[in-house]
Amino acid sequence: MIRTALTYLGFIVLLSVSSGNSLYAAGPIIPAPPQISAESYLLLDATTGKVIVEKNSEQRLPPASLTKIMASYVVANELKRGSISLDDMVPISVTAWRMGGSKMFIQEGTKVKLFDLVRGVVIQSGNDATVALAEHIAGSEDSFADIMNQQAERLGMTNTNFVNATGWPDENHYTTASDLAKLTVALINDFPEHYELYKEKYFTYNDIRQPNRNSLLWRDDSVDGVKTGHTEAAGYCLVASALRDDMRLVSVVMKTDSQEARARETRKLLTYGYRYYETVPLYAADESLKTVRLWGGSQDTVNLGVKDDVVITLPRGERENLSAKMDINSVIRAPVDEGKALGELTVTLEDEILFKGPLLSVHNVSEAGFFARLWDSIYLFFLQLFGGDALAL
């Protein structure tokens, strides 16, 4: 038997003004998403994972240098593991030196500090630097690509396959906007110090100063990453992330027709997301949301809460229209261990479920003594016999 309690998080307020035969009702107006000139795109809230806008986000496409987001993720992971160090002096092979495309301009036969190579990858998008790092970590670029694919599998990038470390064109080298968003969120969350490099605008190596190819770093102060890409097959691509008022959005646009287009279309997505949506924290982890009757325990009540912070993405102006429903076990008996599921919390906006998760005990409660348990059992028996509420306090 389940007991249901319905609690409203706010009040619905309607304001109207009569003018002639017109009636105006206050309330949020959310326009349709902007038209985006890209083969595939996606905008999501990095905190909640809520997809705000998308088109063809599961379509497999060549990622070009967006591949280097994963390359740098692998590097950051190896640094965390301690298998490499930022002070390592990395030998530069002929293979790395000869790489075409964007370059850091390292020289064959020399040794370059690993930290400089990382900046050469992240800021300058150097193919030569990427191959040098791949060889240093895995012995060869092929082996490094295998590590990349294993990481992709761990991150749930189910439509991704890497053949190389740089994004050099290959028909078997592909990913999706959705997978790139997953990777970017993981990079930001798992390696925040490493992610700081992505907002650096310039890097100088060997007296050659090159700008970050992400032009949004100059146009929007809230943008702090991430990566551009371009080949003939991939078109012009951009993964971007911005942070405004504790709301982080990640945008992916793939296969636009110019450098300006990828920046312009990304700004459209970010503007739309920030203007019409918000990230709303509802409940803190282990906060007591409900106190209910406990039978046969060393204390008469137990507090219920959620394991992790509950944060949702909402259209702006809809916060007061949220409702929360708690379904709690009708009879809760001691002992109760901290973290034991004793019910379920559901947060909805109209008919849309925004959150659904277990209500957990936020503390331990041991059993009472024999006579106290016996009395509770008798009391509960007669309470249920005459239709009383076992959870009433």
Side-chain angles (χ1 to χ4, degrees):
M1 175 176 160
I2 298 294
R3 175 185 184 265
T4 300
L6 184 62
T7 305
Y8 286 96
L9 300 175
F11 299 92
I12 300 175
V13 179
L14 293 178
L15 301 176
S16 63
V17 178
S18 179
S19 175
N21 295 323
S22 299
L23 185 65
Y24 299 92
I29 297 176
I30 308 297
Q35 295 296 312
I36 302 298
S37 298
E39 179 73 18
S40 170
Y41 55 86
L42 176 144
L43 178 72
L44 64 73
D45 186 321
T47 302
T48 66
K50 168 72 173 178
V51 175
I52 298 172
V53 182
E54 70 86 28
K55 179 183 177 183
N56 299 333
S57 62
E58 301 291 343
Q59 180 179 340
R60 293 178 176 179
L61 292 169
S65 283
L66 302 182
T67 301
K68 295 180 181 115
I69 303 174
M70 176 57 88
S72 81
Y73 184 95
V74 171
V75 172
N77 190 58
E78 294 300 317
L79 286 166
K80 184 177 182 178
R81 290 179 58 242
S83 65
I84 58 174
S85 165
L86 290 174
D87 294 323
D88 287 354
M89 296 305 295
V90 178
I92 306 304
S93 69
V94 174
T95 302
W97 171 63
R98 284 181 175 172
M99 276 300 301
S102 54
K103 299 173 73 72
M104 178 180 167
F105 298 105
I106 50 181
Q107 297 296 316
E108 179 267 335
T110 64
K111 292 185 177 181
V112 179
K113 194 172 183 178
L114 188 140
F115 186 44
D116 287 336
L117 290 173
V118 172
R119 286 182 288 182
V121 171
V122 171
I123 303 167
Q124 299 174 336
S125 196
N127 290 333
D128 49 358
T130 308
V131 172
L133 282 172
E135 292 175 340
H136 180 65
I137 290 171
S140 69
E141 189 178 2
D142 288 344
S143 295
F144 187 80
D146 183 58
I147 297 174
M148 294 167 69
N149 284 322
Q150 290 183 51
Q151 286 288 2
E153 184 176 359
R154 289 176 59 185
L155 294 174
M157 300 170 63
T158 56
N159 284 303
T160 293
N161 187 64
F162 296 116
V163 175
N164 55 64
T166 64
W168 201 257
D170 188 293
E171 63 180 6
N172 292 317
H173 189 100
Y174 54 80
T175 188
T176 67
S178 178
D179 280 358
L180 286 169
K182 291 178 185 176
L183 171 60
T184 301
V185 171
L187 177 71
I188 294 168
N189 292 337
D190 295 348
F191 308 111
E193 292 184 3
H194 179 77
Y195 181 69
E196 287 288 312
L197 292 174
Y198 280 84
K199 66 183 180 184
E200 293 189 13
K201 295 179 179 179
Y202 296 96
F203 176 53
T204 301
Y205 178 77
N206 204 19
D207 295 326
I208 302 172
R209 186 173 188 251
Q210 295 188 68
N212 194 313
R213 287 167 170 77
N214 182 2
S215 64
L216 291 185
L217 295 175
W218 284 265
R219 304 184 190 187
D220 186 337
D221 291 339
S222 69
V223 173
D224 54 14
V226 178
K227 191 77 189 69
T228 62
H230 171 250
T231 62
E232 184 175 348
Y236 292 85
C237 310
L238 174 59
V239 176
S241 184
L243 181 63
R244 301 180 193 174
D245 298 325
D246 296 325
M247 182 180 189
R248 178 173 288 282
L249 296 181
V250 170
S251 165
V252 183
V253 295
M254 303 185 73
K255 207 164 188 179
T256 68
D257 59 12
S258 69
Q259 293 183 40
E260 179 56 33
R262 69 187 176 193
R264 180 187 66 241
E265 303 309 296
T266 296
R267 292 190 77 181
K268 286 183 186 179
L269 288 172
L270 293 175
T271 297
Y272 179 80
Y274 282 116
R275 184 162 295 162
Y276 296 108
Y277 288 83
E278 61 180 329
T279 305
V280 179
L282 295 182
Y283 307 112
D286 299 327
E287 172 189 357
S288 178
L289 305 182
K290 185 76 174 177
T291 300
V292 296
R293 183 69 161 88
L294 179 65
W295 297 94
S298 57
Q299 59 188 55
D300 293 334
T301 61
V302 62
N303 295 328
L304 306 184
V306 289
K307 180 180 179 181
D308 301 309
D309 294 345
V310 176
V311 184
I312 60 175
T313 306
L314 282 178
R316 291 190 181 274
E318 291 282 14
R319 189 184 306 207
E320 63 269 24
N321 296 329
L322 289 173
S323 65
K325 178 182 178 183
M326 295 183 183
D327 292 326
I328 302 169
N329 297 356
S330 60
V331 177
I332 301 174
R333 301 178 185 271
V336 171
D337 294 327
E338 180 180 344
K340 182 177 181 179
L342 299 173
E344 186 174 64
L345 171 67
T346 305
V347 179
T348 59
L349 178 63
E350 296 178 348
D351 295 329
E352 181 183 2
I353 296 176
L354 301 180
F355 172 83
K356 192 170 191 176
L359 283 166
L360 312 172
S361 170
V362 300
H363 52 87
N364 296 314
V365 183
S366 61
E367 279 188 320
F370 172 76
F371 289 106
R373 297 200 311 272
L374 178 61
W375 171 251
D376 265 8
S377 295
I378 296 170
Y379 183 32
L380 179 60
F381 171 77
F382 283 104
L383 188 68
Q384 292 177 320
L385 182 65
F386 292 104
D389 188 346
L391 288 176
L393 300 178

